[in-house]
Amino acid sequence: MFDWYYAWVEAWPWLHYVSAAVIVLIFLLLRKLFTRFSFAIIKMISRHGKSPLLENLLYAFTKPMRMLFVVVGIYFAILYLGPQPDVMYVVNRLLRTFLIIFFGWGFFNFSGTSSDLFTRLGRKIDGDKDSMLIPFTSRILRGLIIVLMFTVIAMEWDYDINGFIAGLGLGGLAFALAAQDTIANFFGGIILVTEQPFKQNDWIEVMGYEGVVEDITFRSTKVRTWAEGVVIIPNSTMANESITNWSEMRTRQVFSSIYLKYNSPVENVRNVLKRVDQELRDSPEVHPEEIEVYVREFEENGLEMLLYYFTYKTRWTEWLQIKQDFNMRILEIMEEENVEIALPGRDIYAQSDRSSLTGTKNVTNSPE
């Protein structure tokens, strides 16, 4: 049927290479369609075709499958050219190498933090999607996949793995001595991940730095400060430092003082204290069991009125808004009770008669 074609190709030997290139081009153009068709068959065969785990696994192998399809096309094109047996021996080895890369690439993608595998794992372990355990475990698993992939490839090309491992054993002591800090940081990261003093996006304070946790790697933890700078702290240091996790606040403290004038009527001051206390207790934003409104001290500038309470809102902007609303309400109450805020000032006296120790005259009361 194709005798004319073979006769034509024999007459023009270079057409063999053109035909091989056409084979590769066909596989290249049909790689997406082939991938969709293959995955559709897998879903039909599987009893759990709509399983999120299977969907995630197929998605992880999408790009590797397209690459493998092109490699298979190149392999068929080489077969069409009919190379020598020694060439085919190398080609077959290359094909097996690409198969190893295919599986390694796919499982590397599947072990990412967005994988359904790690999403379920995180929910079962601590029920928190922001847990640092998921990305840390993902990095370890990905590292193991890469090492395993290169090991199998080396074995495929007859590299002596046993000799390599023996060499690692001989140089292990020198390596351990040279990498003491790295090993300490690695185990420090494991401590941070297992004990979980903080999670990703938590607001923490450590070593005088305050900010949001962005990431934790094998070596260090990244904290973005409020000035938008990134502080990189070694894990071994983090594991041995006191860490304040402000995101774990159940309520947030408000502690402030207002100074009242000494010439304010005592009864009016009492009314201010009672009304401010009642306003705080009636508010749904304030914890009712931790409210303190008292005249605490007789200070130089005036009577110190202490305000001490806790808000249910802990986020910075929400906390500031509640605090501002109460401060404005306190000003209104003080205005209604005719009680004024004391400004920093000092009474200055001048002696009218140097020979008299009792004769004094109040000259002015000026703010400092």
Side-chain angles (χ1 to χ4, degrees):
M1 181 178 179
F2 295 101
D3 292 343
W4 62 272
Y5 171 75
Y6 292 118
W8 188 42
V9 170
E10 291 298 329
W12 304 91
W14 56 270
L15 287 177
H16 283 283
Y17 300 99
V18 174
S19 301
V22 170
I23 293 174
V24 175
L25 183 61
I26 292 173
F27 275 81
L28 184 63
L29 294 176
L30 297 179
R31 67 187 188 281
K32 292 185 178 180
L33 182 62
F34 173 80
T35 301
R36 293 176 185 174
F37 180 72
S38 301
F39 287 171
I41 293 177
I42 294 174
K43 289 181 181 181
M44 289 177 60
I45 296 175
S46 173
R47 296 180 180 179
H48 306 285
K50 295 183 180 181
S51 169
L53 188 64
L54 178 62
E55 293 282 348
N56 205 271
L57 182 63
L58 295 180
Y59 179 78
F61 275 86
T62 299
K63 290 184 179 180
M65 179 66 79
R66 293 173 184 175
M67 182 273 294
L68 179 65
F69 192 60
V70 175
V71 170
V72 171
I74 296 174
Y75 180 77
F76 283 143
I78 294 174
L79 285 179
Y80 171 79
L81 294 175
Q84 297 296 323
D86 55 342
V87 175
M88 279 305 303
Y89 177 76
V90 175
V91 170
N92 288 329
R93 274 195 164 185
L94 287 173
L95 179 62
R96 291 194 294 269
T97 301
F98 278 113
L99 285 173
I100 297 169
I101 295 174
F102 163 76
F103 285 106
W105 187 2
F107 285 113
F108 181 86
N109 293 338
F110 184 65
S111 61
T113 54
S114 60
S115 168
D116 184 69
L117 171 66
F118 283 98
T119 302
R120 294 187 176 190
L121 179 64
R123 289 174 182 173
K124 289 183 178 180
I125 294 177
D126 56 12
D128 198 324
K129 66 178 181 179
D130 291 329
S131 171
M132 302 303 294
L133 178 64
I134 296 176
F136 194 81
T137 307
S138 173
R139 289 189 179 97
I140 293 177
L141 186 57
R142 282 186 160 189
L144 291 175
I145 290 173
I146 292 174
V147 171
L148 182 62
M149 182 177 67
F150 279 104
T151 301
V152 176
I153 291 175
M155 293 175 63
E156 173 62 32
W157 290 90
D158 298 330
Y159 186 81
D160 188 7
I161 299 297
N162 294 326
F164 177 72
I165 294 175
L168 287 179
L170 293 175
L173 179 60
F175 175 79
L177 292 175
Q180 283 183 4
D181 292 340
T182 301
I183 294 173
N185 289 328
F186 175 76
F187 284 103
I190 293 177
I191 292 173
L192 294 175
V193 168
T194 53
E195 292 188 356
Q196 295 186 346
F198 54 80
K199 302 183 293 295
Q200 196 170 17
N201 299 320
D202 272 3
W203 165 25
I204 69 169
E205 183 177 355
V206 58
M207 298 174 58
Y209 299 106
E210 187 175 349
V212 177
V213 177
E214 282 201 341
D215 193 14
I216 178 171
T217 62
F218 294 125
R219 194 191 74 83
S220 60
T221 300
K222 296 180 180 179
V223 179
R224 184 171 294 277
T225 65
W226 304 128
E228 286 300 315
V230 176
V231 180
I232 300 176
I233 306 173
N235 289 335
S236 58
T237 303
M238 288 283 289
N240 294 311
E241 287 290 332
S242 298
I243 302 172
T244 303
N245 191 337
W246 294 109
S247 294
E248 296 296 325
M249 289 187 296
R250 291 172 294 184
T251 57
R252 188 162 184 175
Q253 182 190 75
V254 176
F255 183 90
S256 61
S257 296
I258 300 176
Y259 293 93
L260 311 179
K261 282 187 175 182
Y262 277 117
N263 59 1
S264 301
V266 176
E267 190 61 31
N268 292 20
V269 173
R270 286 198 180 99
N271 291 337
V272 169
L273 296 176
K274 291 179 182 179
R275 292 181 62 182
V276 171
D277 183 86
Q278 193 60 44
E279 287 281 344
L280 292 171
R281 296 187 184 280
D282 291 342
S283 173
E285 302 292 345
V286 177
H287 194 287
E289 297 181 4
E290 296 290 341
I291 298 175
E292 308 291 343
V293 182
Y294 295 102
V295 171
R296 185 170 68 165
E297 297 289 348
F298 293 93
E299 297 289 349
E300 179 181 359
N301 298 325
L303 297 170
E304 181 191 10
M305 184 174 75
L306 169 70
L307 294 175
Y308 183 78
Y309 58 94
F310 289 83
T311 65
Y312 289 115
K313 301 292 187 181
T314 59
R315 293 185 59 184
W316 174 251
T317 53
E318 296 174 344
W319 177 78
L320 283 179
Q321 183 63 49
I322 294 172
K323 187 176 178 181
Q324 173 185 268
D325 293 341
F326 278 117
N327 287 340
M328 298 303 294
R329 181 57 186 149
I330 290 170
L331 288 176
E332 292 175 355
I333 292 174
M334 292 178 62
E335 184 178 358
E336 293 170 4
E337 295 294 339
N338 196 26
V339 175
E340 297 181 2
I341 295 177
L343 298 176
R346 178 175 298 173
D347 289 335
I348 301 176
Y349 294 86
Q351 187 174 333
S352 59
D353 186 356
R354 291 179 179 270
S355 61
S356 173
L357 296 177
T358 59
T360 58
K361 182 181 179 181
N362 188 302
V363 176
T364 184
N365 182 286
S366 61
E368 289 182 328

